[in-house]
Amino acid sequence: MLTQDQKHGFDRDGYLVIEDFKSAAEIATLRDRAAAIVEAFDPTEISIFSTNDQTRTSDDYFLDSGDKIRCFFEEEAFDGTGRLRQAKKLSINKIGHAMHDLDPVFDRFSRDPRLGEVVGDLGIAEPRLWQSMYIFKQPGIGGEVRWHQDATFFHTEPSTVTGFWFALENADRSNGCLWVEPGGHRGPLRERFVRDGRKVSVEKVAPTPWPTDSTAVPLEVRGGTLVCFSGMLPHYSAPNRSTTSRHAYTLHITDAWAKYSPRNWLQRGPEMPVRGF
Ligand code: FE2
């Protein structure tokens, strides 16, 4: 599937952009399914409306989402009185984190044999699909995702996690496209996000500073584009202050031969083991 040039580019830069990977029809089907999940979501089932102990309960909502399908609000979704600023469907930050295992439409989109080929070509011998996220980057309130490396969240020894980012509509600087640091995957892992029972925290691993806009490049891509990137590659996306959304779908995949840290926040039990393609 991938040419030698593409493989070399991935090794050199830490990322690879593949245009027109998904068809308009595949994208429309996924978008419709995401809209239906949001439509069915009852916000009162989560704690964001309760003022008591909000941090703990929202952590629980996140921590228990690794084998579920849950909707998360944008941070700026609510006004000072706790009311949504805009309609529910324009207030959701993301859906996570196991649609690829629980929902047939997401399963089909994620376990596309062509994607399996790309994953193999990038050197992942025994893929394990740990996480799916549907990211809305809503118009006006789409939140920033600060500089990070995905290996912070999916630590394996050695590092194997690779991100697969599907543009579900055009992404550019105005609506909060991805920014990456070409070659930055050769730097050290800076942070680890670790779980201890019901608590999570961030550990500093290396003091290496994050890139600046002088070394980062924006990945302005059309809908249908697939961006593959090393879990060690620093990347971020700016807030979306435009009137256009920036939907994207992501998968995080590790290689089964590398040891998956028991301290990672996302673990799977025997009733729903992590799977490949
Ligand atoms: Fe990321």
Side-chain angles (χ1 to χ4, degrees), residues 133 145-146 148-150 153 165 178 229 233 235-236 252:
M133 293 193 287
V145 179
R146 68 171 184 85
H148 67 282
Q149 295 157 295
D150 291 344
F153 303 94
W165 189 100
L178 276 179
F229 54 97
L233 184 75
H235 59 284
Y236 91 103
H252 285 95

Side-chain angles (χ1 to χ4, degrees), residues 65-110:
S65 68
D67 57 0
K68 294 185 179 65
I69 298 176
R70 287 189 164 174
C71 296
F72 297 82
F73 283 106
E74 292 281 5
E75 238 172 79
E76 297 176 19
F78 299 94
D79 67 17
T81 67
R83 279 200 199 90
L84 285 179
R85 289 177 206 273
Q86 39 195 44
K88 180 179 72 172
K89 67 176 181 184
L90 293 174
S91 301
I92 304 296
N93 168 279
K94 68 172 177 184
I95 311 172
H97 291 96
M99 294 84 80
H100 60 296
D101 282 335
L102 294 172
D103 183 276
V105 172
F106 277 88
D107 181 29
R108 216 171 302 128
F109 190 97
S110 308

Side-chain angles (χ1 to χ4, degrees), residues 122-156:
L122 294 178
I124 299 177
E126 291 180 70
R128 292 292 179 267
L129 282 65
W130 280 99
Q131 171 179 271
S132 47
M133 293 193 287
Y134 189 105
I135 299 161
F136 290 89
K137 202 65 128 171
Q138 300 284 3
I141 60 167
E144 172 186 35
V145 179
R146 68 171 184 85
W147 279 107
H148 67 282
Q149 295 157 295
D150 291 344
T152 288
F153 303 94
F154 294 93
H155 195 265
T156 66

Side-chain angles (χ1 to χ4, degrees), residues 206-267:
T208 311
W210 292 108
T212 64
D213 282 2
S214 66
T215 54
V217 298
L219 299 185
E220 298 193 301
V221 298
R222 279 183 293 127
T225 301
L226 166 62
V227 182
C228 315
F229 54 97
S230 159
M232 294 296 289
L233 184 75
H235 59 284
Y236 91 103
S237 65
N240 182 7
R241 300 300 179 205
S242 79
T243 54
T244 318
S245 58
R246 195 228 65 190
H247 292 199
Y249 177 62
T250 68
L251 288 168
H252 285 95
I253 300 179
T254 66
D255 204 328
W257 63 268
K259 185 174 158 36
Y260 186 83
S261 173
R263 299 174 79 204
N264 288 336
W265 80 270
L266 203 166
Q267 304 289 333

